[in-house]
Structures are given as C-alpha cells and as structure tokens.
C-alpha cells in the first residue's frame, strides 16, 4: 500500500515510511492510495472472529508489504489483549466500551499498535523522538504504549490545567523515555506547535521526529477494527437487523474518520453521527456549509475540546469534499455542559449505567436523532468515567471508584516542564535535551 498527502504536493510513501515520517512535508495527512473492499464471507464470519483475528484481516492490505502476515498477527495479538464489549443500555441503544485497556481509553488501541510498528521499523542505531499533543487520553495512551521501548523517546505536549488530574498523572509520572511538557495555552496551541516542529529542518535533523497523534496512519488505521468488532457483536444479538447508526464522540475526528473508512471497506453502517461538545465546528459545517475553525472552548468533555480538528481533511478526502454526499452519511450533533451533566444523571438514575462526559454526548445524540433515522444505535464510550472523577462525582452525588489501572498512578511524583505558548521555547528545549542526551 502507498500513501499520499491530502494536500497533494508530497511524494507517495510506503506504510513504513509514512509511520516514521508521521506528517507529509506539505502539512497534509497521509491517506491510503486504495481503499480495499472486504469480501462478503468476511462479514459472514465476523461475529465469530476474535479481536486479533478481525484486526489482521482488516489491516493486512494497509501494512503490506512492510509487515508480513506473521508480523502483523503477532502485533495484533500483543495489542488486542483486552475486551471491547457491546453493552445494551436500553432498548435499541448500545454502548461500545472502549475503556478496558491499560489506560482506560479508546486510544490504547491505536497507541499500542503504533508503538509496535515503530519499534519494528526503527533500527537500534537510529533513535526516534515521538512528539505528541494531547487533550487528555492521547498522552496517557501513547506514553504507556511506548514506555521503556528501546531507542524511542516520547515528548507529550498538553495544555496546562487543560486535562483531568488523573489523565495528567498517567503520562507525567512515568519518567524513563517519557517527557511531559505543559504548554501555557490550549490543545490547539499544542497541536500547532507539533506541526511547526515537523516543518523545522534543523530540529528534524537533530531529533528524527515522528508523530503519535491520530495524524499518524499507524495510530489512525487500527481504530477501524473495533467498528467491525462492534458490528459483529451487534449481529449476534440482532441477526435479522440490517441497519445501524453509530454515534462517535468527536474532537480531533480521527475516530470518526476511521469509522467512515471502515464503511468504505464494506462495513454496513447506515449513518454515523459526528457528536461534539460546544466546539461544534463540524456540526456547524454540516448545517451551514461553512467550515470555520475557531479557538477551542473548555468543557466538561475535555478530550473533545478541539477548535481545529486535525483529521477532518481525511473525511473530506473520502467524500471528495462533497458536502451533500457527506451529509447523506454523517449527521451532526452537539451538546453543552448542562445537557451533558443532565444526561449522565438521568441515565444513571433510570438504567444504572455510568456514562462518561464524552459517551454522554454520543448517547444524547442517538436519543434525539434515532426517531428520524429509524435504526438502532451504538454510541462509543471512549473513556472510563473514573478518568473524570471530580466531574462525575459532582454530577452523580456519589463516589466513583477507580479501576485498578488508574489506582496505580496515585501518589506518584509528576515530572513536568512548563513552557510558554511559542515554538522557540519548545525548539530550544528539544535541541538542548538532544545535545545533553537526556532524552
């Protein structure tokens, strides 16, 4: 498989080259030159396939020939070691629980897959620095996925006071080959600094940079797997049903882009919902036809506080930048903090199910849209509710217990470098650490 840039002025690259490079030099996004269609018998077998088996069949065309079938199988068996269950919350409404991995967030899938790919592609004599911006869960998933890997350093940029305390503990207390950098700004600022780093020739020559945000194809592509897995579980429960709507809580839009790519491969999802918080750039575009990125707004669903979604160009690429074609498949929805809090409280009271703030938006979108779409619905529970412990306890009025994965980070000492919101400071830090060999 070859990958081209969505901006059209970078050379095509192999999967291996695209993973190591991270971002094309023209600041587009790598996109597969071909989108394979899966055979009908795959969908017949899908309800009985394990997660690793599903992953191998879905991802093989995208990684060949850079990963052999055996190498891909080994990676998938190392990555997909936890359950991703589909849970019925109420009639015709299901939650896909993506929080049973090591850091209790959906990004465990992509981060773990990418770490194994990058380790396979980088030699022992060539050190790589993975630079990643996070609004919460990306940092913890990437840091823990890469922790202790030889010849790979990870630098996590995050907005100071812009992630939950537990999220911060998950990447700021690790040490070893993981460095945490708090930026005096927003997630969009952190994302901009990462892009600037990739276009700085001196820094790239010194640090051999790669990205672990969902702009990297090895982070983005494996997210397709759980959409297929969800459909297989749903068919077990609803063997005669033919249509389904999937609501995706969206911030940077890599998750939704992965679901839409799965649909283009043949996954029979009728509609997707782009469900956002007050950072409603894409829902507004679907409504007005005007795409207008804006400064991000802080909300209770902090992992989705993105005012300039990095992955939206991939969605545009799939639909040929045709708004009407996009609107036939993708429906927009957004909710403010009070609606999110009210939904968490109501669902817990009526069903006992503890929605996290992001999943609550997905649930609420289905409650409002399914009557007109006339299908059952699946919403993605992207993170464990306990990752937002303070907010959840305030809404529910009761303690939210921590799972064992999160308890492990309590009481550890944070190791954080604070920087102003400018590229010069970040470059100086990275160049100094390169010269001193501290990373």
């Amino acid at each position: 498989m070859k990958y081209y840039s969505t901006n059209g002025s970078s050379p095509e690259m192999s999967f291996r080259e695209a993973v190591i490079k991270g971002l094309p030099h023209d600041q587009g996004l790598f996109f597969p030159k071909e989108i394979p269609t899966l055979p009908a018998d795959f969908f017949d077998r899908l309800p009985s396939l394990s997660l690793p088996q599903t992953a191998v069949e879905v991802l093989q065309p995208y990684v060949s020939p850079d990963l052999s079938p055996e190498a891909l199988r080994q990676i998938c068996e190392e990555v997909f070691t936890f359950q991703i269950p589909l849970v019925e919350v109420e009639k015709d409404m299901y939650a896909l629980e993506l929080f049973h991995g090591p850091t209790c967030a959906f990004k465990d899938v992509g981060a773990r897959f990418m770490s194994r790919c990058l380790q396979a592609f980088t030699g022992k004599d060539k050190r790589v620095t993975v630079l990643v911006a996070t609004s919460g869960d990306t940092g913890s998933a990437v840091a823990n996925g890469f922790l202790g890997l030889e010849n790979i350093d990870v630098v996590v940029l995050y907005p100071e006071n812009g992630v939950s305390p537990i999220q911060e503990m998950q990447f700021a207390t690790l040490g070893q080959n993981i460095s945490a950098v708090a930026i005096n700004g927003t997630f969009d600022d952190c994302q901009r600094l990462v892009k600037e780093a990739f276009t700085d020739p001196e820094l790239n020559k010194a640090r051999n940079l790669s990205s672990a945000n969902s702009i990297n194809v090895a982070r983005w592509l494996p997210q397709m797997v759980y959409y297929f897995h969800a459909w297989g579980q749903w068919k077990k429960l609803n063997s005669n049903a033919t249509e389904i709507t999937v609501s995706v809580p969206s911030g940077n839009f890599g998750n939704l882009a992965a679901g839409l790519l799965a649909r283009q491969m043949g996954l029979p999802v009728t509609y997707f919902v782009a469900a956002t918080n007050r950072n409603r750039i894409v829902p507004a575009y679907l409504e007005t036809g005007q795409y207008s990125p804006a400064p991000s707004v802080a909300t209770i669903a902090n992992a989705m506080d993105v005012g300039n979604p990095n992955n939206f160009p991939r969605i545009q690429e799939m639909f040929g930048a045709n708004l009407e074609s996009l609107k036939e498949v993708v429906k927009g929805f957004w909710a403010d903090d009070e609606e999110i809090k009210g939904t968490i409280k109501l669902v817990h009271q009526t069903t006992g199910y503890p929605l996290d703030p992001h999943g609550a938006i997905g649930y609420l979108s289905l409650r409002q849209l399914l009557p007109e779409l006339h299908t059952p619905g699946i919403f993605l529970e992207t993170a464990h509710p306990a990752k937002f412990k303070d907010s959840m306890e305030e809404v529910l009025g009761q303690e939210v217990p921590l799972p064992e994965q999160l308890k492990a980070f309590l009481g550890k000492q944070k190791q954080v470098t604070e920087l102003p919101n400018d590229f010069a400071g970040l470059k100086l830090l990275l160049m100094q650490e390169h010269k001193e060999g501290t990373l």
Side-chain angles (χ1 to χ4, degrees), residues 300-361:
I300 189 176
N302 68 277
M304 293 157 54
D305 292 348
V306 182
N308 188 11
N310 237 345
N311 273 284
F312 194 66
R314 283 183 170 133
I315 295 176
Q316 294 281 64
E317 193 75 14
M318 279 181 259
F319 288 88
N322 186 310
L323 176 60
E324 294 307 312
S325 296
L326 179 62
K327 287 168 65 174
E328 289 178 6
V329 178
V330 180
K331 311 303 175 182
F333 178 87
W334 70 276
D336 63 27
D337 278 7
E338 292 309 308
E339 291 174 302
I340 296 168
K341 293 176 182 178
T343 299
I344 292 171
K345 189 171 184 177
L346 178 62
V347 172
H348 191 261
Q349 288 174 342
T350 56
T351 72
Y353 193 85
L355 296 167
D356 91 284
H358 309 79
I361 300 174

Side-chain angles (χ1 to χ4, degrees), residues 114 118 122 126-132 142-143 146-156 175-179 206-212 430 433-434 437-439:
M114 184 194 163
L118 199 55
T122 56
K126 192 173 185 180
R127 198 166 190 89
V128 173
T129 297
V130 175
L131 191 60
V132 59
V142 169
F146 281 84
L147 182 63
L149 293 189
E150 188 177 359
N151 283 333
I152 299 177
D153 299 311
V154 176
V155 180
V156 180
Q176 296 186 55
N177 60 325
I178 311 298
S179 296
R207 294 305 301 260
N208 193 24
L209 295 180
S210 185
S211 170
L430 293 175
E433 290 181 329
H434 169 68
T438 55
L439 279 177

Side-chain angles (χ1 to χ4, degrees), residues 14 17 70 77 85 111 122 130 173 178 203 261 282 390 420 423 437:
S14 67
E17 292 169 328
E70 176 58 27
E77 288 183 351
T122 56
V130 175
T173 63
I178 311 298
L203 184 56
L261 187 63
V282 173
D390 293 344
F423 177 65

Side-chain angles (χ1 to χ4, degrees), residues 134 136 139-140 143-144 156 158 163-176 178-182 409 412-417:
T134 185
S140 56
N144 285 270
V156 180
Y158 68 104
V163 302
S164 77
I166 291 176
Q167 287 172 322
E168 184 181 30
M169 293 288 285
Q170 285 186 296
F171 59 79
T173 63
L174 298 175
Q176 296 186 55
I178 311 298
S179 296
V181 179
F409 294 94
K412 291 188 176 182
Q413 183 69 34
K414 289 193 296 184
Q415 304 172 53
V416 179
T417 300

